[in-house]
Amino acid sequence: MNPQTGQLLRNTLTLIVVVLVAWQALYWVVGDVALRSPLQTLAFAAKFTSTPQFAAHLAETSKAFGLALLLAVVIGLSIGFTLGASRFLSDVFEPMLVALYSIPKITLYPILLLAFGLGMSSKVAFGTIHGVIPIALFTITAVRNVKRVYIKTGHVMGLTPLDMIARIIVPAALPEIFAGLRIGFSLTLIGTLLGEMFASQRGLGFLLMSAIGLHNVDLIMTLTLLLTVFAGTASVVLLALNQRLYARS
Amino acid sequence: MNVTQTAQTLLSNQVSLRKVDKVFSPPGKPADAVHALGPIDLELHHGEFFAVVGPSGCGKSTLLELIAGLSTATSGEVAFEGKPIEGRIPDGVGVVFQEDASFPWLTVSDNIAFGLRRMKLPPGEKARRIEKALAMMGLVPFANSYPAQLSGGMRQRVCIARTLVTEPRLILLDEPFGALDQQTRLLMGDEVLNLWRKTGATVFLITHALDEAAMLADRIGVMSARPGRLIDIVETGWSRDRDSRIVQEEQFGAITARLWRSLRQESMKAIGKIEAAT
Ligand SMILES: Nc1ncnc2c1ncn2[C@@H]1O[C@H](COP(=O)(O)OP(=O)(O)OP(=O)(O)O)[C@@H](O)[C@H]1O
Ligand SMILES: [Mg+2]
């Protein structure tokens, strides 16, 4: 293990302990009406996650998130490489992407609902539009920042255009592209869950929304815990990989 | 290669430039055109060590890229071994650039192996050439390190080794030691002389250090301020087995002095231009 990964692990453990302590303390102050203690939540979560009902909702969310992420990555990288390679195209389209990035996606939701209807496709679309822009923007910058001298070296060595992309541009741009993928991952997850919360009859987002409606504190706490653990784990793993990539350059 | 071709290659110069000009004109803005180079006439002989000195921004790198086939001349003709280059990268030419071009995502030995990508060699021969290049550049202990773990000078050696494995007949070096301290530069100079002797290749070295040029080259081309033209060509007359100790010789001082005499005026022009522009 390299020292950076060790430090990341230490920071993560510290964060977990701090959150648990704060949670327990908050529970003592607020009481049973609005909160459950960490132990109670864990006990409920253990019971709830073994029900078939949970498995069905989890499968639904996994499918929506998987599809949304796949689309966001494929479309984001395609846009990124195309615009990054062409000064002209990026001059024209990059400002539009930045503008699109800064508007709250929720305002687009009614339009998406009209276009895709209730259910899987609008969830996927909502997840994708959250993730695709940061991936594209990071990729554009990454490709554009590839040192010119690497390209010249490739020319002198007689690389074909395909080899130039696969052997030089991609590896040179990878650390920065990966940073975009990391952000794209979390935003796609947020987008997918938001989609489920507002226009779906299935999935963890829907489950969370109905738990809020029924004031089912156990379920709210459990779902929040599960989602936090999942997003947190993924984020730490991706960050560790990213640091490995940067360490070399 | 048949006998007549061989004879022709031996007789003709390895590189020849005829009335070469390079103008950079940004698309749609003819007013911003920069006349970077020329007109230049230059002949490089087989196996010689040719150095170029000139004030900064005078078009040295531009000249190198024309010979390497990385860019095309605006007018005039560049030929390598009798064939016009016209923006096609010729086989048998190796380039070491001014900036660090070692690939950070590959180990030192993978960087060097990258040089062999376009050659179809049996694996044994590849391994042998990589070993040889590692040894020649003193990189054996670092074969499995990444460039980020090496000093700037070491990384530049990786780039030289990556070029050497292709066994080029012409090696173009663009200020390869520009970022190094004086002592290291003298020693690297010795190494370049060594590999020039061992490989038998023609070496074209760009440098801004007059003493480096005086110590290493058979002939030194002196360039004017932009647009770069050759204003003097100095023959040093060193023997082929020279090394950095020739800096003590009287002739060395005389050559450096002559280079400076030719360059002083041009360097002042270059500085004057910088001041006028800012
Ligand atoms: N792609 C380009 N487009 C426009 N102008 C250029 C381009 N490349 C070089 N130039 C200009 O041409 C001139 C010569 O550049 P070049 O890099 O060949 O100089 P140089 O002698 O190598 O300088 P240095 O000693 O700083 O390395 C400079 O004025 C530079 O600004
Ligand atoms: Mg230069």
Side-chain angles (χ1 to χ4, degrees):
Chain A
M1 190 181 357
N2 62 24
Q4 266 192 325
T5 318
Q7 196 191 4
L8 185 64
L9 217 62
R10 241 187 353 268
N11 290 348
T12 312
L13 285 177
T14 317
L15 181 69
I16 291 175
V17 171
V18 169
V19 168
L20 282 177
V21 168
W23 182 0
Q24 183 68 45
L26 196 66
Y27 172 72
W28 280 326
V29 176
V30 180
D32 263 333
V33 189
L35 222 56
R36 296 290 179 270
S37 75
L39 269 180
Q40 287 168 324
T41 311
L42 273 180
F44 187 87
K47 215 162 56 198
F48 179 71
T49 47
S50 52
T51 61
Q53 181 205 10
F54 171 76
H57 285 295
L58 180 66
E60 172 82 9
T61 301
S62 308
K63 190 175 156 202
F65 175 57
L67 272 173
L69 189 62
L70 184 71
L71 283 173
V73 170
V74 170
I75 299 172
L77 290 182
S78 313
I79 295 177
F81 273 95
T82 315
L83 298 201
S86 154
R87 184 89 258 170
F88 170 74
L89 286 179
S90 65
D91 280 351
V92 176
F93 289 107
E94 201 185 349
M96 283 160 73
L97 278 178
V98 174
L100 218 57
Y101 188 40
S102 55
I103 59 169
K105 256 51 95 205
I106 206 84
T107 52
L108 299 176
Y109 204 45
I111 303 172
L112 282 180
L113 269 187
L114 285 175
F116 291 100
L118 284 180
M120 186 55 105
S121 35
S122 69
K123 279 197 262 192
V124 172
F126 207 52
T128 303
I129 59 163
H130 273 81
V132 72
I133 302 176
I135 294 177
L137 285 176
F138 271 79
T139 308
I140 292 173
T141 323
V143 170
R144 196 186 297 147
N145 285 350
V146 172
K147 279 166 69 179
R148 293 260 305 125
V149 71
Y150 293 164
I151 313 266
K152 285 186 199 167
T153 305
H155 278 307
V156 171
M157 290 176 183
L159 296 195
T160 59
L162 217 64
D163 261 356
M164 187 74 91
I165 295 175
R167 304 275 159 188
I168 293 189
I169 297 177
V170 170
L174 198 60
E176 266 185 89
I177 292 179
F178 201 86
L181 290 180
R182 203 157 52 78
I183 294 170
F185 180 95
S186 354
L187 289 180
T188 306
L189 182 62
I190 293 175
T192 311
L193 289 172
L194 282 176
E196 286 189 333
M197 289 171 93
F198 294 113
S200 181
Q201 305 300 314
R202 272 180 296 178
L204 298 182
F206 160 74
L207 213 54
L208 184 59
M209 207 58 182
S210 50
I212 294 170
L214 299 170
H215 197 74
N216 184 341
V217 181
D218 284 310
L219 191 51
I220 295 174
M221 297 290 298
T222 296
L223 286 171
T224 310
L225 179 69
L226 290 175
L227 288 171
T228 310
V229 169
F230 172 68
T233 312
S235 171
V236 169
V237 169
L238 291 176
L239 195 62
L241 284 174
N242 213 169
Q243 283 179 349
R244 289 269 285 274
L245 287 174
Y246 271 118
R248 282 202 260 128
S249 53
Chain B
M1 200 183 269
N2 63 35
V3 181
T4 42
Q5 265 179 322
T6 316
Q8 241 173 8
T9 322
L10 285 177
L11 284 175
S12 61
N13 292 303
Q14 189 170 30
V15 175
S16 73
L17 284 82
R18 295 249 173 283
K19 298 204 174 58
V20 169
D21 273 284
K22 181 73 186 181
V23 179
F24 290 104
S25 29
K29 283 185 233 157
D32 293 351
V34 177
H35 189 184
L37 188 74
I40 279 198
D41 285 276
L42 175 65
E43 241 93 71
L44 298 185
H45 312 316
H46 280 278
E48 78 169 326
F49 196 130
F50 192 95
V52 171
V53 293
S56 66
C58 75
K60 302 184 292 295
S61 300
T62 306
L63 175 61
L64 177 132
E65 295 198 356
L66 286 171
I67 299 175
L70 283 166
S71 72
T72 35
T74 312
S75 64
E77 195 180 293
V78 186
F80 175 66
E81 294 179 347
K83 293 188 216 71
I85 292 180
E86 285 164 354
R88 214 179 21 83
I89 287 123
D91 252 326
V93 178
V95 186
V96 176
F97 292 99
Q98 194 165 2
E99 314 98 291
D100 171 25
S102 60
F103 297 141
W105 60 91
L106 295 177
T107 62
V108 167
S109 68
D110 287 343
N111 258 288
I112 297 172
F114 202 98
L116 292 173
R117 283 190 56 80
R118 105 159 133 168
M119 305 200 154
K120 292 191 175 50
L121 297 173
E125 168 68 7
K126 275 196 180 178
R128 195 192 61 78
R129 284 203 192 181
I130 294 168
E131 286 303 316
K132 196 173 133 197
L134 281 169
M136 210 175 201
M137 288 285 101
L139 290 166
V140 176
F142 307 102
N144 295 315
S145 310
Y146 284 93
Q149 297 164 286
L150 305 180
S151 68
M154 281 295 189
R155 270 180 257 167
Q156 209 50 287
R157 282 178 201 220
V158 173
C159 297
I160 297 177
R162 187 170 62 189
T163 301
L164 283 184
V165 281
T166 63
E167 301 187 349
R169 301 187 292 284
L170 170 65
I171 305 175
L172 308 173
L173 301 162
D174 194 349
E175 299 192 27
F177 318 126
L180 305 185
D181 60 89
Q182 179 76 15
Q183 298 92 295
T184 318
R185 275 218 329 247
L186 283 173
L187 294 178
M188 288 298 287
D190 276 339
E191 289 187 35
V192 170
L193 279 175
N194 247 328
L195 74 88
W196 169 64
R197 270 190 294 269
K198 282 192 202 158
T199 60
T202 311
V203 172
F204 177 89
L205 171 82
I206 292 174
T207 174
H208 57 242
L210 303 185
D211 53 345
E212 200 169 277
M215 156 186 146
L216 296 175
D218 295 317
R219 292 195 301 151
I220 304 160
V222 181
M223 282 173 74
S224 67
R226 202 188 76 207
R229 280 153 293 117
L230 283 168
I231 49 174
D232 195 7
I233 289 189
V234 181
E235 306 229 5
T236 59
W238 301 127
S239 74
R240 206 172 154 81
D241 54 10
R242 59 187 174 264
D243 64 31
S244 59
R245 280 170 298 187
I246 57 176
V247 297
Q248 308 155 20
E249 293 191 22
E250 217 175 300
Q251 172 72 356
F252 176 81
I255 295 168
T256 319
R258 172 158 169 204
L259 292 175
W260 182 232
R261 222 169 21 250
S262 308
L263 264 179
R264 207 177 105 87
Q265 202 84 42
E266 298 301 324
S267 301
M268 285 196 305
K269 265 193 230 166
I271 292 172
K273 271 181 192 165
I274 292 166
E275 278 167 358
T278 49

